[in-house]
Amino acid sequence: MGENSRSFEDLVAEGVAVPTEGWDFSWFEGRAGEARPSWGYAVSLAGRLAGASAALDLQTGGGEVLDFALGRAPKAPALTVATEGWPPNVAKATALLAPRGVAVVASPEDAPLPFADEAFDLVTSRHPVRANWTEISRVLRPGGTYFAQHVGPHSVFELVEYFLGPQPDEVRSGRHPDRERADAEAAGLEIVDLRAEELRMEFHDIAAVVHFLRKVVWMVPGFTVEAYRPQLRALHEQIESDGPFVAHSTRHLFEARRPGV
C-alpha cells in the first residue's frame, strides 16, 4: 500500500500541474484515449470554411480546432472571427489565430453575440457549453449555415457518477439532440443534418482523471483534489488492479440553415 500511496501522490501532483488552457488534448496521449466520431469534424470544417465569405467560430477555446481547419482549407473566408469567454483561452486563441488574420472577441458564452444581424454566412462551434439558437439565427445571413459538433447527453457519465453519484434523469438527458433540434427550429432554423454517436473512452491512470476533470470543468463542478481525495485514491487503486477506467462520450454533428436565398 505504501508504494501505491507514493505512486498515487505523484500521479495526482502531475495531473494538477498540467496547464488547462485551450483545447489541446495531446498531453493525454498514452494516458487516456477517446474514439473519434466517424464524420471527422475538423476536416469537414476545413471544407465549410473554404466555401464561406464571413465565418464565426463560437466558444473557440484556445483556437486549436479553428487553426487546424484553416490550415487545411483550400482558401479562407475573407472574414473570420472567433469568440471565447475564458480570459486565459482568449489570450491563447489570439496568439494562435492572429497570424491567420482571425480576430478573437472576448464574449461570455451566455451573453448576446456582439455582432450585427446577418453578419455571417457560416457559424461554427466544437463542443459549445450551450448553443444560443436565437443569437445564432440572428447573426446568420439568409441561406447561411450553422455547422458544429456538440457534446451529447450523459457524456462520460460513468466518471461523473463515480464522483457525484447517480444523477437525475433531467441532468442525464441534458444536451439531447432531439431537444436541441426543437430549440433550433423554434429559433427559425431548418435542420439539414443531425447525427449522433457514442464513443468509448479509457483513463489509464489517475493523473489523466485529475487533468480531465480540471480541464472539462462542467463534468464535476467545483472539482478539486482535496474535495475528492478519497474517491480519487479508490479509483487509482481500481485502475491499478483492474486496468483502465472505461467511460463513453456522446457527440452529435449538427448542421442547420437559416431559410432564405
Side-chain angles (χ1 to χ4, degrees), residues 139-184:
V139 301
L140 273 174
R141 296 171 184 165
T145 294
Y146 175 70
F147 183 72
Q149 179 175 293
H150 289 193
V151 175
H154 55 79
S155 189
V156 204
F157 259 52
E158 296 94 338
L159 188 64
V160 170
E161 294 187 333
Y162 182 91
F163 288 93
L164 299 181
Q167 297 296 291
D169 289 344
E170 178 63 24
V171 174
R172 292 184 62 85
S173 63
R175 307 172 185 252
H176 196 284
D178 290 345
R179 181 179 299 178
E180 294 200 330
R181 172 194 290 272
D183 291 343

Side-chain angles (χ1 to χ4, degrees), residues 10-156:
D10 289 346
L11 288 166
V12 165
E14 185 178 359
V16 168
V18 184
T20 57
E21 295 87 354
W23 287 119
D24 179 4
F25 284 76
S26 59
W27 178 86
F28 287 100
E29 187 170 349
R31 320 200 60 154
E34 178 182 358
R36 298 300 179 195
S38 61
W39 49 75
Y41 174 74
V43 173
S44 298
L45 177 59
R48 300 304 179 109
L49 290 166
S53 60
L56 169 64
D57 192 52
L58 299 174
Q59 301 178 40
T60 198
E64 296 90 350
V65 175
L66 181 58
D67 179 67
F68 175 95
L70 285 169
R72 284 151 182 79
K75 69 182 186 71
L79 171 69
T80 305
V81 183
T83 66
E84 173 55 34
W86 191 41
N89 273 351
V90 173
K92 185 177 179 68
T94 298
L96 184 62
L97 295 172
R100 296 197 183 278
V102 177
V104 178
V105 178
S107 178
E109 65 201 28
D110 55 353
L113 294 174
F115 307 110
D117 295 357
E118 302 182 6
F120 303 97
D121 58 344
L122 178 66
V123 176
T124 64
S125 192
R126 181 180 179 274
H127 302 176
V129 175
R130 183 180 68 87
N132 187 331
W133 296 110
T134 302
E135 283 294 280
I136 290 168
S137 180
R138 181 183 66 79
V139 301
L140 273 174
R141 296 171 184 165
T145 294
Y146 175 70
F147 183 72
Q149 179 175 293
H150 289 193
V151 175
H154 55 79
S155 189
V156 204

Side-chain angles (χ1 to χ4, degrees), residues 61 87 182 187 189 221 236 258:
L189 298 173
H236 164 71
R258 180 173 171 182

